[in-house]
């Protein structure tokens, strides 16, 4: 892999929160790599640590949280020079001034959380432009109108004068995307940007993000719990479970050659890809409480293929090929080869499991 094409490398990132019930380990040794111009999707159930991970890239770890370990290397070009910085080493002030909103921008699930209800759309878009670029009000206004057109708003002049509550959910999200793009970021992070929208609007916003990515050649980190969306938008996919990446690969690796039983479960519970099934599968059980510690694999309890070793030791990342990795003991050379199945009532026994458990 050509390292010069990497825009973001997250290495062994661990983030914990202090809570009234003790320390909560939200992110546990996450690795991610995003190349220039690519879309990387992070997929996982609610509570798996997706938002905490991407917020940390924006320097937005809340005051009760801390980065315990790891690095976030971000590469960008400044005055024609390529610079790589570890974002975990930057102060809030430096992040605010040089990175956040300017080189890395973020679109959240609920557009109302990023919009100011008391400020006109025009002023909100111009605010960021004028903070990062020293340009006149007139030029900022022109740029704001261009951005609104770019995100598919047909009547930018009147929308500029509107307030957020006057717009539909879809329009608000378009405005948020316009604001995110206003400073020409190299990296756009979208955290479940369409979850609050109806299906038709979801498809439109996703198409918009794809069009913009192509036109602007930006890199996109796209968070979702919906594999149907991933199939449409992503080049690479990282599957997250209980604060860890459990499988990562190209979109083909994940859809045609998934190796982790959690990924199998996710695929089986996705309507678009599995429409042959009458009833959609749901992965039994629920993820572990991140306030607790446990032995072995966090997924073991829910894994119909779990072996003794799954309850004792955390599996390492096994390499399937140069771009495909999965953290499951099923990939150990001593594990029984299993057929992927989604019936949760299936009882499986492993005759050869003894070999592995004794390791
Ligand atoms: P996801 O985005 O995958 O749904 P999150 O990243 O939001 O999940 O959350 C991961 C875990 O971290 C959850 O258990 C959540 O309750 C916890 N968490 C997130 N933010 C905080 C916080 N500020 N304080 C304490 N716990 C938090
Ligand atoms: Mg989230």
């Amino acid at each position: 892999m050509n390292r010069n094409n990497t825009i973001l490398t997250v290495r062994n990132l661990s983030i914990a929160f202090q809570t009234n019930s003790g320390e909560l380990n939200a992110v546990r040794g996450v690795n991610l790599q995003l190349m220039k111009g690519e879309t990387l999707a992070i997929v996982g159930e609610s509570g798996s640590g997706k938002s905490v991970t991407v917020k940390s890239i924006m320097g937005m770890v809340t005051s009760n949280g801390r980065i315990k370990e790891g690095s976030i290397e971000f590469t960008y070009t400044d005055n024609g020079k390529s610079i790589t910085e570890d974002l975990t080493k930057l102060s809030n002030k430096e992040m605010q001034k040089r990175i956040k909103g300017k080189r890395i921008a973020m679109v959240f699930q609920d557009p109302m959380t990023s919009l100011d209800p008391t400020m006109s759309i025009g002023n909100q878009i111009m605010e960021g432009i004028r903070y990062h670029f020293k340009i006149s009000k007139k030029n900022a206004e022109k740029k704001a109108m261009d951005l609104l057109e770019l995100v598919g708003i047909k009547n930018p002049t009147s929308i500029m004068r509107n307030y957020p509550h006057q717009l539909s959910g879809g329009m608000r999200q378009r405005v948020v995307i316009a604001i995110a793009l206003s400073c020409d970021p190299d990296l756009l992070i979208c955290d479940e940007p369409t979850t609050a929208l109806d299906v038709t609007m979801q498809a439109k916003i996703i198409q918009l993000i794809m069009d913009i990515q192509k036109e602007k050649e930006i890199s996109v980190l796209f968070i979702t719990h919906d594999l149907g969306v991933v199939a449409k938008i992503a080049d690479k996919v990282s599957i997250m479970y209980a604060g860890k990446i459990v499988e990562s690969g190209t979109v083909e690796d994940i859809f045609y050659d998934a190796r982790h039983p959690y990924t199998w479960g996710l695929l089986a519970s996705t309507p678009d890809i599995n429409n042959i099934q009458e009833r959609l599968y749901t992965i039994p059980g629920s993820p572990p409480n991140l306030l607790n510690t446990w032995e072995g694999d966090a997924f073991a309890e829910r894994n119909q293929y779990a072996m003794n070793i799954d309850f004792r030791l955390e599996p390492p990342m096994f390499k399937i090929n140069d771009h495909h990795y999965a953290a499951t003991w099923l990939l150990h050379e001593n594990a029984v080869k299993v057929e992927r199945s989604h019936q949760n009532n299936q009882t499986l026994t492993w005759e050869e499991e003894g070999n592995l458990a004794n390791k």
Side-chain angles (χ1 to χ4, degrees):
M1 207 172 287
N2 180 2
R3 266 199 55 80
N4 295 334
N5 266 334
T6 307
I7 181 164
L8 186 79
T9 310
V10 174
R11 250 185 227 139
N12 197 26
L13 184 70
S14 293
I15 302 170
F17 293 101
Q18 276 319 317
T19 74
N20 291 335
S21 325
E23 191 180 60
L24 186 149
N25 290 295
V27 176
R28 306 182 301 124
V30 159
N31 293 294
L32 295 170
Q33 187 176 40
L34 176 58
M35 313 304 278
K36 280 196 183 119
E38 266 185 3
T39 298
L40 170 66
I42 305 180
V43 188
E45 284 164 297
S46 175
S48 54
K50 306 181 299 293
S51 293
V52 172
T53 301
V54 295
K55 281 184 185 160
S56 74
I57 297 169
M58 286 282 279
M60 291 167 64
V61 179
T62 53
S63 57
N64 65 327
R66 73 187 169 96
I67 295 180
K68 285 169 79 172
E69 225 188 319
S71 61
I72 302 172
E73 279 171 26
F74 176 59
T75 303
Y76 58 92
T77 312
D78 195 31
N79 283 327
K81 235 177 59 193
S82 173
I83 298 172
T84 299
E85 273 189 299
D86 181 354
L87 302 183
T88 65
K89 301 275 189 296
L90 298 188
S91 67
N92 283 344
K93 213 169 152 191
E94 283 173 305
M95 278 301 285
Q96 184 73 31
K97 214 172 131 207
R98 299 198 281 116
I99 308 287
K100 195 175 154 190
K102 188 175 181 192
R103 301 192 183 275
I104 307 178
M106 189 153 164
V107 175
F108 294 92
Q109 175 174 335
D110 176 6
M112 279 317 250
T113 56
S114 7
L115 294 173
D116 181 342
T118 67
M119 211 171 160
S120 73
I121 301 298
N123 282 337
Q124 296 195 51
I125 303 178
M126 289 192 288
E127 194 179 44
I129 300 176
R130 299 193 74 193
Y131 176 83
H132 290 293
F133 305 107
K134 307 281 167 265
I135 58 173
S136 70
K137 183 147 192 238
K138 205 167 167 178
N139 284 337
E141 206 167 74
K142 163 104 185 36
K143 191 159 164 87
M145 304 261 276
D146 291 347
L147 283 162
L148 286 175
E149 269 176 32
L150 178 74
V151 299
I153 288 176
K154 301 281 182 310
N155 49 340
T157 321
S158 67
I159 296 295
M160 290 277 280
R161 286 191 296 259
N162 280 154
Y163 286 80
H165 73 267
Q166 295 173 294
L167 307 181
S168 67
M171 286 288 262
R172 281 184 208 138
Q173 201 58 303
R174 284 178 199 268
V175 169
V176 171
I177 294 169
I179 294 173
L181 294 171
S182 65
C183 297
D184 301 322
D186 305 303
L187 171 60
L188 181 67
I189 301 176
C190 302
D191 190 355
E192 312 221 23
T194 63
T195 307
L197 306 174
D198 66 63
V199 180
T200 320
M201 193 46 72
Q202 275 187 21
K204 285 186 180 160
I205 296 290
I206 283 165
Q207 190 59 50
L208 173 67
I209 294 169
M210 289 169 72
D211 292 346
I212 286 167
Q213 184 204 28
K214 230 189 202 147
E215 185 176 331
K216 302 248 169 199
E217 295 181 332
I218 49 178
S219 307
V220 175
L221 193 52
F222 195 97
I223 314 305
T224 179
H225 58 260
D226 182 350
L227 274 175
V229 171
V230 174
K232 200 163 159 48
I233 200 167
D235 300 299
K236 306 260 175 71
V237 187
S238 287
I239 309 284
M240 197 162 182
Y241 185 77
K244 267 186 62 169
I245 303 296
V246 295
E247 180 157 12
S248 66
T250 63
V251 76
E252 291 82 13
D253 292 332
I254 300 299
F255 283 92
Y256 302 120
D257 191 26
R259 299 301 182 97
H260 199 288
Y262 179 62
T263 313
W264 297 343
L266 286 180
L267 285 165
S269 50
T270 304
D272 285 354
I273 328 167
N274 249 47
N275 49 13
I276 357 133
Q277 269 183 299
E278 269 176 28
R279 244 162 30 101
L280 280 181
Y281 175 79
T282 28
I283 305 169
S286 48
N289 185 342
L290 298 172
L291 282 163
N292 300 338
T293 53
W294 56 86
E295 268 183 42
D297 183 2
F299 189 59
E301 294 284 349
R302 305 174 74 186
N303 183 359
Q304 62 173 299
Y305 307 101
M307 301 173 278
N308 287 335
I309 195 168
D310 285 283
F311 296 94
R312 293 201 299 112
L313 281 177
E314 202 157 27
M317 268 289 186
F318 288 95
K319 179 176 175 174
I320 297 132
N321 61 41
D322 279 347
H323 39 80
H324 189 188
Y325 295 81
T328 167
W329 285 117
L330 293 174
L331 291 173
H332 191 280
E333 57 183 1
N334 290 1
V336 182
K337 298 284 164 282
V338 300
E339 284 296 315
R340 176 179 153 188
S341 147
H342 305 304
Q343 277 124 44
N344 54 2
N345 56 0
Q346 198 171 345
T347 324
L348 297 155
T349 48
W350 307 108
E351 284 164 14
E352 289 159 62
E353 190 185 332
N355 298 339
L356 193 54
N358 292 334
K359 284 238 154 221

